[in-house]
């Protein structure tokens, strides 16, 4: 097939719909959680290894940089959780229309923003 249509490969000129942005972000946060998993497992190991290692971890987590790292790890976890719940609703047949998909994607962003702010306030 000889297709003469123009091909736009510059992704910066394409306006993605909110549903596509939500889907792409869900995938990116899944990768971020996978990357953060060794840090979380190390923290779990330090917290249960001994009372001394727990005290050392607690002291480490009092620093602003460590709080920022924990907040940066919790942010994709929260987004992935909320988007996953949205997918469960869609599996149950809710929000499958075009407008329902848009509302669901916007709701994921709003709910995640609120949760991230609340978790940030809790950490600091």
């Amino acid at each position: 097939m000889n297709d003469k249509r123009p091909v736009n490969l510059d992704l910066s000129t394409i306006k993605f719909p909110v549903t596509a942005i939500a889907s792409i972000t869900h995938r990116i946060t899944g990768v971020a959680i996978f990357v953060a998993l060794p840090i979380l497992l190390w923290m779990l190991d330090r917290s249960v290894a001994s009372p001394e290692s727990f005290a050392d971890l607690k002291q480490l987590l009092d620093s602003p940089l460590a709080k920022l790292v924990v907040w940066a790890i919790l942010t994709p976890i929260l987004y992935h959780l909320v988007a996953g719940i949205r997918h469960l609703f869609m599996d149950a047949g809710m929000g499958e229309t075009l407008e329902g998909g848009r509302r669901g994607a916007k709701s994921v962003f709003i709910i995640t923003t609120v949760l991230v702010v609340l978790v940030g306030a809790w950490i600091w």
Side-chain angles (χ1 to χ4, degrees):
M1 184 168 138
N2 191 1
D3 193 3
K4 300 286 186 195
R5 293 182 293 170
V7 177
N8 182 5
L9 298 177
D10 185 9
L11 294 179
S12 64
T13 62
I14 298 172
K15 183 171 174 15
F16 290 104
V18 69
T19 52
I21 295 170
S23 177
I24 293 167
T25 307
H26 190 233
R27 293 164 197 256
I28 291 170
T29 57
V31 172
I33 292 168
F34 180 76
V35 169
L37 199 56
I39 297 169
L40 295 172
L41 289 173
W42 174 79
M43 288 172 32
L44 177 64
D45 177 60
R46 294 290 83 212
S47 69
V48 298
S50 68
E52 294 81 22
S53 66
F54 177 79
D56 291 342
L57 179 64
K58 189 174 177 186
Q59 183 181 5
L60 173 71
L61 291 177
D62 283 338
S63 75
L65 180 61
K67 289 181 180 186
L68 183 65
V69 169
V70 169
W71 191 50
I73 291 172
L74 289 176
T75 298
I77 290 173
L78 289 171
Y79 181 85
H80 204 77
L81 174 71
V82 174
I85 292 170
R86 172 182 172 243
H87 280 285
L88 289 175
F89 279 117
M90 289 172 55
D91 288 344
M94 295 179 258
E96 290 182 330
T97 64
L98 185 60
E99 184 55 35
R102 285 186 191 127
R103 274 185 281 153
K106 289 176 185 177
S107 298
V108 166
F109 288 123
I110 292 168
I111 292 168
T112 302
T113 302
V114 170
L115 290 175
V116 166
V117 169
L118 289 174
V119 165
W122 176 64
I123 289 173
W124 275 284

